[in-house]
mmCIF file of all heavy atoms in Angstrom:
data_model
loop_
_atom_site.group_PDB
_atom_site.id
_atom_site.type_symbol
_atom_site.label_atom_id
_atom_site.label_comp_id
_atom_site.label_asym_id
_atom_site.label_seq_id
_atom_site.Cartn_x
_atom_site.Cartn_y
_atom_site.Cartn_z
ATOM 1 N N CYS A 746 87.986 234.225 149.408
ATOM 2 C CA CYS A 746 86.598 233.769 149.492
ATOM 3 C C CYS A 746 86.533 232.279 149.173
ATOM 4 O O CYS A 746 87.380 231.747 148.448
ATOM 5 C CB CYS A 746 85.724 234.521 148.493
ATOM 6 S SG CYS A 746 85.755 236.312 148.655
ATOM 7 N N GLY A 747 85.500 231.641 149.665
ATOM 8 C CA GLY A 747 85.243 230.266 149.299
ATOM 9 C C GLY A 747 84.707 230.181 147.890
ATOM 10 O O GLY A 747 84.041 231.091 147.404
ATOM 11 N N CYS A 748 84.988 229.077 147.213
ATOM 12 C CA CYS A 748 84.520 228.870 145.844
ATOM 13 C C CYS A 748 83.333 227.913 145.859
ATOM 14 O O CYS A 748 83.441 226.812 146.413
ATOM 15 C CB CYS A 748 85.647 228.298 144.989
ATOM 16 S SG CYS A 748 85.149 227.875 143.306
ATOM 17 N N PRO A 749 82.182 228.296 145.255
ATOM 18 C CA PRO A 749 81.004 227.417 145.299
ATOM 19 C C PRO A 749 81.185 226.128 144.512
ATOM 20 O O PRO A 749 80.527 225.133 144.801
ATOM 21 C CB PRO A 749 79.890 228.280 144.697
ATOM 22 C CG PRO A 749 80.598 229.289 143.855
ATOM 23 C CD PRO A 749 81.900 229.550 144.557
ATOM 24 N N VAL A 750 82.060 226.134 143.512
ATOM 25 C CA VAL A 750 82.279 224.949 142.701
ATOM 26 C C VAL A 750 83.368 224.064 143.293
ATOM 27 O O VAL A 750 83.289 222.836 143.241
ATOM 28 C CB VAL A 750 82.636 225.351 141.250
ATOM 29 C CG1 VAL A 750 82.960 224.119 140.402
ATOM 30 C CG2 VAL A 750 81.491 226.129 140.626
ATOM 31 N N HIS A 751 84.387 224.696 143.872
ATOM 32 C CA HIS A 751 85.494 223.971 144.495
ATOM 33 C C HIS A 751 85.632 224.463 145.944
ATOM 34 O O HIS A 751 86.497 225.283 146.251
ATOM 35 C CB HIS A 751 86.797 224.205 143.725
ATOM 36 C CG HIS A 751 86.716 223.763 142.290
ATOM 37 N ND1 HIS A 751 86.305 224.597 141.281
ATOM 38 C CD2 HIS A 751 86.976 222.564 141.716
ATOM 39 C CE1 HIS A 751 86.329 223.936 140.138
ATOM 40 N NE2 HIS A 751 86.727 222.700 140.364
ATOM 41 N N PRO A 752 84.767 223.987 146.842
ATOM 42 C CA PRO A 752 84.718 224.528 148.202
ATOM 43 C C PRO A 752 85.991 224.310 149.016
ATOM 44 O O PRO A 752 86.187 224.964 150.046
ATOM 45 C CB PRO A 752 83.524 223.790 148.837
ATOM 46 C CG PRO A 752 83.324 222.586 147.990
ATOM 47 C CD PRO A 752 83.758 222.959 146.610
ATOM 48 N N TRP A 753 86.854 223.412 148.555
ATOM 49 C CA TRP A 753 88.097 223.183 149.286
ATOM 50 C C TRP A 753 89.174 224.209 148.917
ATOM 51 O O TRP A 753 90.250 224.219 149.491
ATOM 52 C CB TRP A 753 88.618 221.777 148.996
ATOM 53 C CG TRP A 753 88.861 221.513 147.536
ATOM 54 C CD1 TRP A 753 90.006 221.712 146.835
ATOM 55 C CD2 TRP A 753 87.894 221.034 146.607
ATOM 56 N NE1 TRP A 753 89.826 221.386 145.516
ATOM 57 C CE2 TRP A 753 88.541 220.957 145.340
ATOM 58 C CE3 TRP A 753 86.556 220.643 146.713
ATOM 59 C CZ2 TRP A 753 87.882 220.509 144.200
ATOM 60 C CZ3 TRP A 753 85.909 220.215 145.562
ATOM 61 C CH2 TRP A 753 86.568 220.150 144.332
ATOM 62 N N LYS A 754 88.862 225.071 147.928
ATOM 63 C CA LYS A 754 89.822 226.077 147.495
ATOM 64 C C LYS A 754 89.404 227.460 147.984
ATOM 65 O O LYS A 754 88.227 227.778 148.040
ATOM 66 C CB LYS A 754 89.925 226.112 145.965
ATOM 67 C CG LYS A 754 90.579 224.905 145.341
ATOM 68 C CD LYS A 754 90.697 225.100 143.828
ATOM 69 C CE LYS A 754 91.377 223.912 143.165
ATOM 70 N NZ LYS A 754 91.479 224.103 141.697
ATOM 71 N N LYS A 755 90.378 228.277 148.318
ATOM 72 C CA LYS A 755 90.139 229.679 148.610
ATOM 73 C C LYS A 755 90.558 230.504 147.404
ATOM 74 O O LYS A 755 91.633 230.292 146.836
ATOM 75 C CB LYS A 755 90.943 230.123 149.843
ATOM 76 C CG LYS A 755 90.411 229.568 151.156
ATOM 77 C CD LYS A 755 89.063 230.185 151.502
ATOM 78 C CE LYS A 755 88.581 229.722 152.872
ATOM 79 N NZ LYS A 755 87.271 230.326 153.211
ATOM 80 N N LYS A 756 89.707 231.424 146.991
ATOM 81 C CA LYS A 756 89.973 232.245 145.824
ATOM 82 C C LYS A 756 90.074 233.700 146.239
ATOM 83 O O LYS A 756 89.361 234.162 147.139
ATOM 84 C CB LYS A 756 88.852 232.103 144.795
ATOM 85 C CG LYS A 756 88.496 230.672 144.428
ATOM 86 C CD LYS A 756 89.604 229.980 143.685
ATOM 87 C CE LYS A 756 89.781 230.519 142.299
ATOM 88 N NZ LYS A 756 90.799 229.756 141.527
ATOM 89 N N THR A 757 90.971 234.433 145.601
ATOM 90 C CA THR A 757 91.034 235.875 145.808
ATOM 91 C C THR A 757 89.903 236.524 145.023
ATOM 92 O O THR A 757 89.768 236.300 143.811
ATOM 93 C CB THR A 757 92.378 236.441 145.334
ATOM 94 O OG1 THR A 757 93.430 235.828 146.068
ATOM 95 C CG2 THR A 757 92.433 237.948 145.556
ATOM 96 N N CYS A 758 89.075 237.320 145.706
ATOM 97 C CA CYS A 758 87.911 237.946 145.071
ATOM 98 C C CYS A 758 88.046 239.458 145.117
ATOM 99 O O CYS A 758 88.491 240.018 146.129
ATOM 100 C CB CYS A 758 86.627 237.548 145.802
ATOM 101 S SG CYS A 758 86.237 235.800 145.742
ATOM 102 N N TRP A 759 87.659 240.111 144.033
ATOM 103 C CA TRP A 759 87.539 241.564 144.044
ATOM 104 C C TRP A 759 86.129 241.902 144.497
ATOM 105 O O TRP A 759 85.147 241.514 143.865
ATOM 106 C CB TRP A 759 87.786 242.121 142.648
ATOM 107 C CG TRP A 759 87.649 243.607 142.556
ATOM 108 C CD1 TRP A 759 88.259 244.547 143.323
ATOM 109 C CD2 TRP A 759 86.847 244.331 141.617
ATOM 110 N NE1 TRP A 759 87.894 245.804 142.926
ATOM 111 C CE2 TRP A 759 87.030 245.703 141.881
ATOM 112 C CE3 TRP A 759 86.006 243.946 140.568
ATOM 113 C CZ2 TRP A 759 86.401 246.704 141.148
ATOM 114 C CZ3 TRP A 759 85.373 244.939 139.833
ATOM 115 C CH2 TRP A 759 85.573 246.300 140.113
ATOM 116 N N LEU A 760 86.008 242.620 145.608
ATOM 117 C CA LEU A 760 84.704 242.936 146.182
ATOM 118 C C LEU A 760 84.658 244.412 146.568
ATOM 119 O O LEU A 760 85.672 245.101 146.623
ATOM 120 C CB LEU A 760 84.435 242.065 147.412
ATOM 121 C CG LEU A 760 84.357 240.545 147.186
ATOM 122 C CD1 LEU A 760 84.249 239.818 148.520
ATOM 123 C CD2 LEU A 760 83.183 240.190 146.287
ATOM 124 N N GLY A 761 83.470 244.881 146.858
ATOM 125 C CA GLY A 761 83.314 246.221 147.403
ATOM 126 C C GLY A 761 83.141 247.319 146.376
ATOM 127 O O GLY A 761 83.215 248.502 146.720
ATOM 128 N N SER A 762 82.906 246.993 145.111
ATOM 129 C CA SER A 762 82.732 248.018 144.087
ATOM 130 C C SER A 762 81.303 247.993 143.547
ATOM 131 O O SER A 762 80.733 246.926 143.314
ATOM 132 C CB SER A 762 83.709 247.788 142.934
ATOM 133 O OG SER A 762 83.419 248.670 141.865
ATOM 134 N N ALA A 763 80.757 249.185 143.314
ATOM 135 C CA ALA A 763 79.427 249.280 142.704
ATOM 136 C C ALA A 763 79.423 248.715 141.290
ATOM 137 O O ALA A 763 78.377 248.309 140.780
ATOM 138 C CB ALA A 763 78.976 250.741 142.690
ATOM 139 N N ALA A 764 80.585 248.678 140.650
ATOM 140 C CA ALA A 764 80.675 248.131 139.291
ATOM 141 C C ALA A 764 80.297 246.656 139.273
ATOM 142 O O ALA A 764 79.714 246.173 138.292
ATOM 143 C CB ALA A 764 82.091 248.321 138.749
ATOM 144 N N LEU A 765 80.616 245.924 140.314
ATOM 145 C CA LEU A 765 80.251 244.505 140.388
ATOM 146 C C LEU A 765 78.735 244.338 140.463
ATOM 147 O O LEU A 765 78.167 243.458 139.822
ATOM 148 C CB LEU A 765 80.912 243.853 141.597
ATOM 149 C CG LEU A 765 82.417 243.627 141.499
ATOM 150 C CD1 LEU A 765 82.978 243.286 142.874
ATOM 151 C CD2 LEU A 765 82.741 242.525 140.507
ATOM 152 N N ALA A 766 78.089 245.182 141.261
ATOM 153 C CA ALA A 766 76.627 245.116 141.368
ATOM 154 C C ALA A 766 75.983 245.429 140.023
ATOM 155 O O ALA A 766 75.037 244.764 139.595
ATOM 156 C CB ALA A 766 76.127 246.087 142.435
ATOM 157 N N ALA A 767 76.511 246.453 139.324
ATOM 158 C CA ALA A 767 75.962 246.810 138.013
ATOM 159 C C ALA A 767 76.145 245.672 137.012
ATOM 160 O O ALA A 767 75.240 245.351 136.229
ATOM 161 C CB ALA A 767 76.641 248.079 137.497
ATOM 162 N N ALA A 768 77.325 245.045 137.026
ATOM 163 C CA ALA A 768 77.580 243.933 136.109
ATOM 164 C C ALA A 768 76.712 242.726 136.448
ATOM 165 O O ALA A 768 76.244 242.013 135.559
ATOM 166 C CB ALA A 768 79.056 243.554 136.140
ATOM 167 N N ALA A 769 76.487 242.471 137.740
ATOM 168 C CA ALA A 769 75.622 241.359 138.143
ATOM 169 C C ALA A 769 74.184 241.603 137.694
ATOM 170 O O ALA A 769 73.514 240.694 137.179
ATOM 171 C CB ALA A 769 75.680 241.182 139.663
ATOM 172 N N ASP A 770 73.694 242.830 137.864
ATOM 173 C CA ASP A 770 72.339 243.163 137.415
ATOM 174 C C ASP A 770 72.216 242.994 135.895
ATOM 175 O O ASP A 770 71.226 242.441 135.393
ATOM 176 C CB ASP A 770 71.989 244.602 137.793
ATOM 177 C CG ASP A 770 71.922 244.817 139.298
ATOM 178 O OD1 ASP A 770 71.809 243.824 140.042
ATOM 179 O OD2 ASP A 770 72.002 245.986 139.729
ATOM 180 N N ALA A 771 73.222 243.469 135.161
ATOM 181 C CA ALA A 771 73.195 243.345 133.703
ATOM 182 C C ALA A 771 73.215 241.885 133.279
ATOM 183 O O ALA A 771 72.554 241.501 132.302
ATOM 184 C CB ALA A 771 74.384 244.087 133.093
ATOM 185 N N THR A 772 73.966 241.055 134.005
ATOM 186 C CA THR A 772 74.022 239.624 133.713
ATOM 187 C C THR A 772 72.632 239.008 133.773
ATOM 188 O O THR A 772 72.212 238.275 132.866
ATOM 189 C CB THR A 772 74.942 238.901 134.712
ATOM 190 O OG1 THR A 772 76.261 239.462 134.644
ATOM 191 C CG2 THR A 772 75.012 237.410 134.420
ATOM 192 N N VAL A 773 71.898 239.309 134.835
ATOM 193 C CA VAL A 773 70.572 238.724 135.026
ATOM 194 C C VAL A 773 69.589 239.259 133.982
ATOM 195 O O VAL A 773 68.803 238.493 133.390
ATOM 196 C CB VAL A 773 70.073 239.001 136.462
ATOM 197 C CG1 VAL A 773 68.612 238.584 136.628
ATOM 198 C CG2 VAL A 773 70.949 238.270 137.477
ATOM 199 N N ILE A 774 69.627 240.554 133.725
ATOM 200 C CA ILE A 774 68.692 241.149 132.759
ATOM 201 C C ILE A 774 68.928 240.600 131.357
ATOM 202 O O ILE A 774 67.982 240.193 130.661
ATOM 203 C CB ILE A 774 68.829 242.684 132.778
ATOM 204 C CG1 ILE A 774 68.270 243.245 134.098
ATOM 205 C CG2 ILE A 774 68.096 243.312 131.583
ATOM 206 C CD1 ILE A 774 68.592 244.707 134.333
ATOM 207 N N LEU A 775 70.174 240.559 130.924
ATOM 208 C CA LEU A 775 70.463 240.065 129.581
ATOM 209 C C LEU A 775 70.159 238.578 129.448
ATOM 210 O O LEU A 775 69.678 238.123 128.405
ATOM 211 C CB LEU A 775 71.915 240.347 129.228
ATOM 212 C CG LEU A 775 72.194 241.790 128.777
ATOM 213 C CD1 LEU A 775 73.689 242.067 128.762
ATOM 214 C CD2 LEU A 775 71.606 242.051 127.408
ATOM 215 N N THR A 776 70.426 237.823 130.500
ATOM 216 C CA THR A 776 70.114 236.394 130.470
ATOM 217 C C THR A 776 68.611 236.182 130.355
ATOM 218 O O THR A 776 68.138 235.336 129.584
ATOM 219 C CB THR A 776 70.644 235.694 131.725
ATOM 220 O OG1 THR A 776 72.064 235.858 131.791
ATOM 221 C CG2 THR A 776 70.311 234.205 131.703
ATOM 222 N N TRP A 777 67.833 236.960 131.096
ATOM 223 C CA TRP A 777 66.374 236.852 131.033
ATOM 224 C C TRP A 777 65.862 237.091 129.612
ATOM 225 O O TRP A 777 65.085 236.308 129.074
ATOM 226 C CB TRP A 777 65.729 237.847 132.003
ATOM 227 C CG TRP A 777 64.248 237.968 131.836
ATOM 228 C CD1 TRP A 777 63.569 238.906 131.109
ATOM 229 C CD2 TRP A 777 63.247 237.087 132.362
ATOM 230 N NE1 TRP A 777 62.210 238.691 131.175
ATOM 231 C CE2 TRP A 777 61.994 237.571 131.933
ATOM 232 C CE3 TRP A 777 63.295 235.958 133.161
ATOM 233 C CZ2 TRP A 777 60.798 236.962 132.275
ATOM 234 C CZ3 TRP A 777 62.094 235.336 133.509
ATOM 235 C CH2 TRP A 777 60.873 235.839 133.071
ATOM 236 N N TRP A 778 66.316 238.177 129.008
ATOM 237 C CA TRP A 778 65.802 238.504 127.676
ATOM 238 C C TRP A 778 66.332 237.555 126.609
ATOM 239 O O TRP A 778 65.642 237.282 125.619
ATOM 240 C CB TRP A 778 66.104 239.964 127.337
ATOM 241 C CG TRP A 778 65.210 240.878 128.109
ATOM 242 C CD1 TRP A 778 65.564 241.747 129.098
ATOM 243 C CD2 TRP A 778 63.785 240.973 127.989
ATOM 244 N NE1 TRP A 778 64.466 242.384 129.599
ATOM 245 C CE2 TRP A 778 63.355 241.932 128.937
ATOM 246 C CE3 TRP A 778 62.848 240.355 127.186
ATOM 247 C CZ2 TRP A 778 62.016 242.272 129.085
ATOM 248 C CZ3 TRP A 778 61.507 240.693 127.331
ATOM 249 C CH2 TRP A 778 61.106 241.648 128.267
ATOM 250 N N LYS A 779 67.508 237.012 126.818
ATOM 251 C CA LYS A 779 68.002 235.987 125.898
ATOM 252 C C LYS A 779 67.127 234.734 125.984
ATOM 253 O O LYS A 779 66.821 234.091 124.971
ATOM 254 C CB LYS A 779 69.459 235.640 126.227
ATOM 255 C CG LYS A 779 70.125 234.735 125.212
ATOM 256 C CD LYS A 779 71.591 234.537 125.538
ATOM 257 C CE LYS A 779 72.259 233.623 124.519
ATOM 258 N NZ LYS A 779 73.690 233.395 124.825
ATOM 259 N N LEU A 780 66.695 234.392 127.185
ATOM 260 C CA LEU A 780 65.788 233.257 127.361
ATOM 261 C C LEU A 780 64.436 233.536 126.693
ATOM 262 O O LEU A 780 63.857 232.648 126.052
ATOM 263 C CB LEU A 780 65.580 232.968 128.847
ATOM 264 C CG LEU A 780 66.770 232.371 129.596
ATOM 265 C CD1 LEU A 780 66.510 232.367 131.099
ATOM 266 C CD2 LEU A 780 67.072 230.957 129.103
ATOM 267 N N GLN A 781 63.930 234.763 126.830
ATOM 268 C CA GLN A 781 62.660 235.103 126.192
ATOM 269 C C GLN A 781 62.765 234.998 124.677
ATOM 270 O O GLN A 781 61.835 234.543 123.993
ATOM 271 C CB GLN A 781 62.230 236.522 126.585
ATOM 272 C CG GLN A 781 61.993 236.722 128.074
ATOM 273 C CD GLN A 781 61.070 235.683 128.666
ATOM 274 O OE1 GLN A 781 59.942 235.500 128.203
ATOM 275 N NE2 GLN A 781 61.540 234.984 129.691
ATOM 276 N N ASP A 782 63.916 235.397 124.146
ATOM 277 C CA ASP A 782 64.146 235.294 122.712
ATOM 278 C C ASP A 782 64.157 233.832 122.267
ATOM 279 O O ASP A 782 63.591 233.475 121.227
ATOM 280 C CB ASP A 782 65.477 235.969 122.367
ATOM 281 C CG ASP A 782 65.667 236.169 120.881
ATOM 282 O OD1 ASP A 782 64.778 236.764 120.245
ATOM 283 O OD2 ASP A 782 66.704 235.728 120.347
ATOM 284 N N ALA A 783 64.781 232.972 123.078
ATOM 285 C CA ALA A 783 64.828 231.540 122.748
ATOM 286 C C ALA A 783 63.440 230.908 122.847
ATOM 287 O O ALA A 783 63.086 230.027 122.057
ATOM 288 C CB ALA A 783 65.805 230.822 123.673
ATOM 289 N N ILE A 784 62.641 231.356 123.817
ATOM 290 C CA ILE A 784 61.277 230.837 123.952
ATOM 291 C C ILE A 784 60.450 231.180 122.714
ATOM 292 O O ILE A 784 59.637 230.381 122.239
ATOM 293 C CB ILE A 784 60.612 231.406 125.227
ATOM 294 C CG1 ILE A 784 61.281 230.815 126.480
ATOM 295 C CG2 ILE A 784 59.113 231.129 125.237
ATOM 296 C CD1 ILE A 784 60.876 231.498 127.771
ATOM 297 N N ARG A 785 60.680 232.355 122.170
ATOM 298 C CA ARG A 785 59.917 232.791 120.992
ATOM 299 C C ARG A 785 60.424 232.144 119.703
ATOM 300 O O ARG A 785 59.614 231.746 118.854
ATOM 301 C CB ARG A 785 59.996 234.313 120.859
ATOM 302 C CG ARG A 785 59.296 234.844 119.616
ATOM 303 C CD ARG A 785 59.106 236.343 119.649
ATOM 304 N NE ARG A 785 60.353 237.070 119.769
ATOM 305 C CZ ARG A 785 60.437 238.402 119.829
ATOM 306 N NH1 ARG A 785 59.327 239.125 119.799
ATOM 307 N NH2 ARG A 785 61.596 239.001 119.941
ATOM 308 N N ASP A 786 61.737 231.998 119.560
ATOM 309 C CA ASP A 786 62.290 231.624 118.253
ATOM 310 C C ASP A 786 62.983 230.263 118.211
ATOM 311 O O ASP A 786 63.352 229.807 117.122
ATOM 312 C CB ASP A 786 63.308 232.686 117.795
ATOM 313 C CG ASP A 786 62.657 234.044 117.595
ATOM 314 O OD1 ASP A 786 61.464 234.089 117.254
ATOM 315 O OD2 ASP A 786 63.341 235.069 117.798
ATOM 316 N N GLY A 787 63.181 229.612 119.359
ATOM 317 C CA GLY A 787 63.924 228.364 119.370
ATOM 318 C C GLY A 787 63.101 227.166 118.935
ATOM 319 O O GLY A 787 61.879 227.250 118.754
ATOM 320 N N ASP A 788 63.784 226.018 118.771
ATOM 321 C CA ASP A 788 63.052 224.786 118.485
ATOM 322 C C ASP A 788 62.392 224.281 119.765
ATOM 323 O O ASP A 788 62.531 224.885 120.839
ATOM 324 C CB ASP A 788 63.976 223.720 117.874
ATOM 325 C CG ASP A 788 65.166 223.379 118.763
ATOM 326 O OD1 ASP A 788 65.052 223.485 120.006
ATOM 327 O OD2 ASP A 788 66.224 222.984 118.223
ATOM 328 N N LEU A 789 61.678 223.167 119.673
ATOM 329 C CA LEU A 789 60.894 222.691 120.814
ATOM 330 C C LEU A 789 61.759 222.440 122.042
ATOM 331 O O LEU A 789 61.405 222.853 123.152
ATOM 332 C CB LEU A 789 60.154 221.406 120.428
ATOM 333 C CG LEU A 789 59.308 220.760 121.536
ATOM 334 C CD1 LEU A 789 58.236 221.724 122.024
ATOM 335 C CD2 LEU A 789 58.689 219.449 121.036
ATOM 336 N N ALA A 790 62.902 221.773 121.854
ATOM 337 C CA ALA A 790 63.768 221.466 122.989
ATOM 338 C C ALA A 790 64.320 222.744 123.610
ATOM 339 O O ALA A 790 64.371 222.882 124.844
ATOM 340 C CB ALA A 790 64.917 220.555 122.531
ATOM 341 N N GLU A 791 64.729 223.689 122.769
ATOM 342 C CA GLU A 791 65.280 224.941 123.275
ATOM 343 C C GLU A 791 64.219 225.760 123.994
ATOM 344 O O GLU A 791 64.477 226.359 125.046
ATOM 345 C CB GLU A 791 65.885 225.751 122.136
ATOM 346 C CG GLU A 791 66.666 226.969 122.591
ATOM 347 C CD GLU A 791 67.341 227.697 121.447
ATOM 348 O OE1 GLU A 791 67.071 227.349 120.271
ATOM 349 O OE2 GLU A 791 68.124 228.621 121.723
ATOM 350 N N ARG A 792 63.003 225.765 123.449
ATOM 351 C CA ARG A 792 61.918 226.503 124.112
ATOM 352 C C ARG A 792 61.611 225.902 125.483
ATOM 353 O O ARG A 792 61.388 226.635 126.453
ATOM 354 C CB ARG A 792 60.658 226.485 123.236
ATOM 355 C CG ARG A 792 60.770 227.293 121.956
ATOM 356 C CD ARG A 792 59.409 227.632 121.381
ATOM 357 N NE ARG A 792 58.584 226.450 121.159
ATOM 358 C CZ ARG A 792 58.561 225.754 120.029
ATOM 359 N NH1 ARG A 792 59.354 226.117 119.018
ATOM 360 N NH2 ARG A 792 57.776 224.716 119.891
#
């Protein structure tokens, strides 16, 4: 696969598993709630 950060490189990717979709969904959900936590409890710059 092409690499979004280094487009001149080809990377071997593991694809085709439902586990990847589950991990991607968990990544977004946990990131969202971590951001909500920072909005509530962080300093001004972090909020």
Side-chain angles (χ1 to χ4, degrees):
C746 304
C748 175
V750 176
H751 301 90
W753 58 90
K754 290 183 179 180
K755 288 291 185 180
K756 309 293 290 185
T757 300
C758 296
W759 179 53
L760 297 173
S762 172
L765 288 167
D770 295 342
T772 301
V773 172
I774 290 169
L775 280 167
T776 300
W777 170 264
W778 286 113
K779 188 175 180 181
L780 289 170
Q781 298 309 304
D782 192 54
I784 291 169
R785 177 167 59 181
D786 297 330
D788 58 29
L789 179 60
E791 189 176 9
R792 291 199 305 270

